[in-house]
Amino acid sequence: MEIPADVKKKLTIPAEEHFYAGHTACQGCGAALGLRYVLKAYGNKTIFTIPACCSTIIAGPWPYSAFNAPLFHTAFETTGAVIGGIEAALKAKGYKVKGEDGVMVVGWAGDGGTADIGLQALSGFLERGHDGLYIMYDNEAYMNTGIQRSSSTPYGAWTTNTPGGKKRFLERKPKKKVIDIVIAHKPAYAATASVAYPEDFMRKLKKAKTIKGPSFIQLFAPCPTGWRSPTDKTIELARLAVQTAYFPLFEYENGKYKLNMPSPKKEPKPLEEYLKLQGRFKYMTKEDMEILQEWVLREWEELKKKAEIFG
Amino acid sequence: MPKKVISGNYAAAYAAKHARVEVVAAYPITPQTSIIEKIAEFIANGEVENLEYVPVESEHSAMAACIGASAAGARTFTATSAQGLALMHEMLHWAAGARLPVVMVDVNRAMAPPWSVWDDQTDSLAQRDTGWLQFYAENNQEVYDGVLMAFKIGEHEKVNLPVMVIESAFILSHTYDIVDMLEQEEVDEFLPPRKPLYSLTDFDNPFSIGALGTPADYYEFRYKIAKAMEEAKKIIKEVGKEFGEKFGRDYSQMIELYKTEDADIVFMGMGSLMGTVKEAVDIFRSEGYKVGAAKVRWFRPFPREELYELAKSVEGIAVLDRNFSFGQEGILFNEAKGILYNTDANPIMKNYIVGLGGRDLTVNDVRKIASNMKKIIEKGELDKEIDWYHLKR
């Protein structure tokens, strides 16, 4: 569809689509939105690597692909290593990597493939300083295999292997802070982003293309299927996660932290507003909610302090 | 041609250099390390151009980085050993399944526990079903030649599969021997730059590699690999012949036959132990025994036809396996027997398990095996099918 010039002028993100209709994501999928933005930001001169995750399926079975860009499907734990290898090949063969007209090398992996089984390869990718971008799309569980907990699943969440019930066998551990592990590697650039804030996400993607060295973005991407939430609430949930400071937006560059919150000075909204829209938190007691709320605020204060000291 | 006295590992490194590899990703493991150290040295000395070296954090990542690089069109090399190869196993399937002609040297080393760094073929043979071609080198010269041919064969458009070149731990990897190396120009002529059939850098015609294959298509993907493996036999012979015509060392036989024309008994095996066997054959021949040696160079694809031709004319085959498949028998023995069933070739076959974990196999050992085989053939029946030859009793 042709977009009228006056409308196009007002768009805050590019109108061009490189992520085609006909992909096979569930309704309301945050990851599919995220992919669409990444492809909008980088266009087709991008090499994608996707390990086992929802996006393997979203991209489509052989011989189809929803991507207008080359895409390599790889094994679960290898994203960091494969993008390192691709970058090395591009350099050996004399391609320009990154920059305005250069090739962008992107790894796109879920939280399980990043925080758990893929952590070692991610660490290697960061430590060796490859010129690429690793995006962890965080939907807080192994959604493609049927909603099992990952180390990125939050405290109190129901999943199929933390099923709640009489014994209250819920997730008892707080969410692993992968972004902190990444920052410990002193990468060129690291940031959190959310599908509810596409302009912020696009800006971060553009930045990752200009900075030399490895970049990492942790993208918050709600999963209605796994979160037991209405499919039209994806953006609202992603926004609430930011507004409650459950998933604060920030970036790290050259040892400096910068908060990218819509209103960083505003007090976070109560976490309950975010939790109550999701069936996965239905087993939580009042006490559980307090524990999670306390964790969120403690982490938020810590992050604010980092931004203050290393701002 | 420059001759150098070098280890098997250095022969592998020089071959990779002469093949003008573009990406090397490797993780250190004994006794493979000196291969990647030598390659790093080439880079440090400015002896190679356009070679990216990725010092990965594990063998699994080494193979993952290699497949990424190969998918992006680069000529790609790595090396490993034993536990490292086992850790790579998943990605070996990936390389073959995605039709990426990565070349890897595996330094045959026994699997732990107990810890062992010595020679044993179980590590590479355990990768039998991954879709990799496997070449077993007898000596350092064959390591060098094998790596060069591996690139040419694996990258051939009718093959497009990864290739493993296998050498013995320490017996070759760390033992110095004369290697006849080629001039760079000779290699360049024999092995032009890789022309990938497809590459992730084709931005105008983007496609995906390795997407979900439904039951409607997966089966055909497997068949195409099976077909490429059969096709590879022809390519191996062609490339081996070309190598012989150009450089004087002929590799057109997938099974190297040594004095088998009139032999009654043939010793069959793979890798460095066949050097000892050939020496033993010479001695027995001088004593008037009609014996020969059959060195299986290519284990995958398996030269079924060549084995059949050999088996038709001999009375007995002693299969020497430096490996063992628990619950069954030596792996080469198992394969060879399987191939000859349903044919009219029916020699007496006996399996000798030898040299596991680096135990020496001497000429005298081969002599004992020969006299045992002689008795069996005279009697016309086996004493036993599997003989753990060195076992302390």
Side-chain angles (χ1 to χ4, degrees):
Chain A
M1 190 183 72
E2 196 60 41
I3 297 155
D6 57 327
V7 174
K8 211 167 178 179
K9 214 181 275 176
K10 286 180 198 160
L11 291 176
T12 53
I13 53 172
E16 289 76 25
E17 292 290 355
H18 295 280
F19 183 57
Y20 297 134
H23 64 74
T24 54
C26 304
Q27 280 185 15
C29 172
L33 265 179
L35 279 172
R36 187 177 166 202
Y37 296 138
V38 179
L39 278 149
K40 273 177 182 290
Y42 294 144
N44 68 345
K45 216 171 162 186
T46 309
I47 301 177
F48 279 87
T49 297
I50 296 182
C53 63
C54 292
S55 301
T56 314
I57 309 302
I58 293 172
W62 186 87
Y64 306 107
S65 173
F67 286 50
N68 181 31
L71 166 57
F72 191 78
H73 292 271
T74 190
F76 217 162
E77 63 280 46
T78 62
T79 311
V82 170
I83 58 177
I86 291 171
E87 181 247 27
L90 292 176
K91 288 195 166 159
K93 295 190 98 46
Y95 284 89
K96 189 185 172 210
V97 179
K98 290 209 285 199
E100 202 48 40
D101 55 343
V103 181
M104 194 62 196
V105 180
V106 179
W108 170 272
D111 48 288
T114 303
D116 298 343
I117 198 169
L119 194 61
Q120 176 181 304
L122 169 62
S123 174
F125 161 76
L126 295 167
E127 165 268 320
R128 291 189 299 272
H130 292 286
D131 267 324
L133 167 65
Y134 191 120
I135 303 171
M136 161 189 176
Y137 70 96
D138 189 3
N139 53 26
E140 303 195 319
Y142 290 87
M143 298 311 186
N144 197 32
T145 40
I147 323 166
Q148 294 84 19
R149 61 85 69 180
S150 79
S151 59
S152 194
T153 302
Y155 175 87
W158 162 94
T159 68
T160 54
N161 59 353
T162 57
K166 267 187 195 160
K167 291 260 185 183
R168 301 192 64 263
F169 181 52
L170 286 174
E171 178 57 36
R172 306 313 289 172
K173 296 280 188 299
K175 185 178 171 70
K176 188 193 267 187
K177 299 293 288 279
V178 177
I179 188 83
D180 289 351
I181 297 170
V182 167
I183 290 170
H185 289 76
K186 307 256 185 276
Y189 182 67
T192 57
S194 163
V195 292
Y197 298 91
E199 290 90 351
D200 177 75
F201 182 36
M202 296 286 285
R203 182 181 62 77
K204 287 167 175 168
L205 289 168
K206 293 251 152 97
K207 197 157 199 180
K209 204 179 176 193
T210 59
I211 291 176
K212 201 172 161 37
S215 304
F216 176 87
I217 294 175
Q218 183 172 350
L219 177 72
F220 195 72
C223 169
T225 309
W227 292 11
R228 299 294 192 243
S229 58
T231 54
D232 59 352
K233 293 283 183 201
T234 294
I235 300 301
E236 192 177 331
L237 276 170
R239 194 174 295 134
L240 275 170
V242 174
Q243 290 170 340
T244 57
Y246 171 80
F247 192 86
L249 300 181
F250 72 98
E251 54 197 324
Y252 167 92
E253 194 185 344
N254 290 329
K256 289 186 176 166
Y257 285 79
K258 192 180 166 201
L259 294 178
N260 315 120
M261 302 294 274
S263 312
K265 289 198 177 126
K266 229 178 179 178
E267 281 301 305
K269 285 186 178 174
L271 188 64
E272 205 184 335
E273 281 187 37
Y274 169 71
L275 300 177
K276 72 183 180 194
L277 291 174
Q278 304 171 57
R280 64 171 172 158
F281 293 120
K282 75 172 179 186
Y283 290 100
M284 284 177 107
T285 59
K286 208 166 172 330
E287 199 192 353
D288 282 333
M289 289 201 187
E290 279 164 15
I291 290 170
L292 187 55
Q293 174 70 78
E294 204 181 297
W295 178 83
V296 166
L297 293 178
R298 200 170 53 236
E299 293 288 326
W300 171 233
E301 286 306 318
E302 198 181 290
L303 179 64
K304 277 201 297 185
K305 216 165 271 172
K306 278 180 193 166
E308 228 174 84
I309 299 167
F310 307 109
Chain B
M1 282 187 254
K3 280 185 201 292
K4 263 188 192 285
V5 179
I6 50 174
S7 66
N9 277 356
Y10 279 12
Y14 273 105
K17 176 192 171 188
H18 292 159
R20 296 193 190 272
V21 291
E22 294 164 304
V23 175
V24 172
Y27 186 77
I29 183 168
T30 303
Q32 157 262 40
T33 36
S34 50
I35 299 176
I36 53 164
E37 285 166 357
K38 193 71 186 164
I39 290 171
E41 207 179 292
F42 293 146
I43 299 170
N45 293 341
E47 292 177 52
V48 284
E49 282 167 20
N50 305 326
L51 168 55
E52 290 288 320
Y53 174 64
V54 191
V56 281
E57 79 292 344
S58 78
E59 284 90 353
H60 195 280
S61 282
M63 190 44 64
C66 282
I67 65 165
S70 189
R75 180 168 284 163
T76 310
F77 177 81
T78 189
T80 192
S81 228
Q83 312 298 128
L85 185 62
L87 183 58
M88 275 183 188
H89 174 74
E90 181 196 19
M91 299 320 289
L92 298 193
H93 283 280
W94 216 281
R99 306 299 295 273
L100 300 169
V102 176
V103 170
M104 167 162 66
V105 168
D106 174 55
V107 185
N108 263 157
R109 163 184 152 182
M111 297 298 296
W115 279 117
S116 167
V117 294
W118 295 278
D119 191 21
D120 191 306
Q121 295 162 339
T122 308
D123 61 345
S124 55
L125 288 171
Q127 311 307 323
R128 187 185 67 169
D129 304 330
T130 55
W132 282 60
L133 280 71
Q134 289 199 349
F135 175 90
Y136 284 79
E138 181 196 320
N139 49 44
N140 297 356
Q141 184 68 57
E142 289 194 358
V143 174
Y144 178 82
D145 296 348
V147 169
L148 291 179
M149 287 188 287
F151 282 108
K152 184 144 180 159
I153 294 160
E155 291 172 7
H156 194 286
E157 60 174 12
K158 286 187 176 160
V159 181
N160 228 29
L161 284 170
V163 187
M164 204 181 288
V165 175
I166 297 137
E167 58 163 318
S168 304
F170 299 105
I171 296 170
L172 299 188
S173 72
H174 283 65
T175 304
Y176 283 61
D177 198 357
I178 299 169
V179 175
D180 234 342
M181 290 213 275
L182 306 179
E183 300 289 354
Q184 184 65 59
E185 305 80 66
E186 292 176 302
V187 179
D188 289 345
E189 203 216 323
F190 171 74
L191 184 67
R194 180 183 166 204
K195 274 196 216 136
L197 283 183
Y198 51 83
S199 163
L200 292 172
T201 52
D202 190 359
F203 301 108
D204 296 330
N205 304 294
F207 57 89
S208 68
I209 303 176
L212 183 76
T214 64
D217 299 308
Y218 184 89
Y219 191 87
E220 280 68 27
F221 275 107
R222 297 295 105 174
Y223 175 70
K224 284 185 173 181
I225 296 177
K227 235 181 113 188
M229 271 284 183
E230 282 308 309
E231 196 67 33
K233 289 182 187 171
K234 218 174 90 200
I235 310 301
I236 284 168
K237 287 175 199 164
E238 275 172 25
V239 171
K241 188 165 175 257
E242 183 193 344
F243 198 94
E245 283 165 0
K246 284 199 162 110
F247 312 123
R249 293 183 294 276
D250 183 87
Y251 289 91
S252 59
Q253 291 181 325
M254 294 175 73
I255 299 178
E256 186 195 332
L257 301 176
Y258 187 76
K259 302 189 176 174
T260 56
E261 306 79 33
D262 59 340
D264 300 326
I265 298 169
V266 165
F267 305 100
M268 192 161 89
M270 302 191 292
S272 63
L273 63 84
M274 292 311 286
T276 308
V277 170
K278 283 185 198 165
E279 197 183 321
V281 165
D282 286 346
I283 296 169
F284 306 154
R285 281 267 169 189
S286 70
E287 292 166 0
Y289 298 105
K290 282 195 203 165
V291 293
K295 180 178 82 188
V296 177
R297 274 197 182 118
W298 291 91
F299 180 74
R300 278 295 177 273
F302 201 99
R304 308 164 64 93
E305 303 76 10
E306 290 183 27
L307 173 65
Y308 168 68
E309 282 307 317
L310 169 73
K312 273 199 303 191
S313 68
V314 299
E315 289 182 52
I317 300 179
V319 181
L320 311 182
D321 267 310
R322 195 164 212 153
N323 61 73
F324 194 75
S325 173
F326 299 114
Q328 179 60 338
E329 55 203 0
I331 296 167
L332 180 59
F333 180 64
N334 183 260
E335 296 256 336
K337 263 195 332 181
I339 287 162
L340 297 177
Y341 186 84
N342 269 352
T343 70
D344 55 3
N346 195 19
I348 290 181
M349 295 178 79
K350 184 170 169 176
N351 193 191
Y352 297 87
I353 307 303
V354 298
L356 301 185
R359 191 160 297 179
D360 279 339
L361 180 81
T362 64
V363 170
N364 203 33
D365 293 328
V366 184
R367 178 183 293 280
K368 284 182 189 160
I369 289 169
S371 62
N372 178 236
M373 274 305 280
K374 199 166 159 276
K375 261 187 227 153
I376 289 166
I377 284 165
E378 275 163 10
K379 268 190 159 175
E381 63 179 276
L382 278 173
D383 46 357
K384 56 182 169 183
E385 199 171 34
I386 304 164
D387 188 343
W388 282 68
Y389 174 78
H390 301 285
L391 209 59
K392 293 170 193 159
R393 290 166 217 273

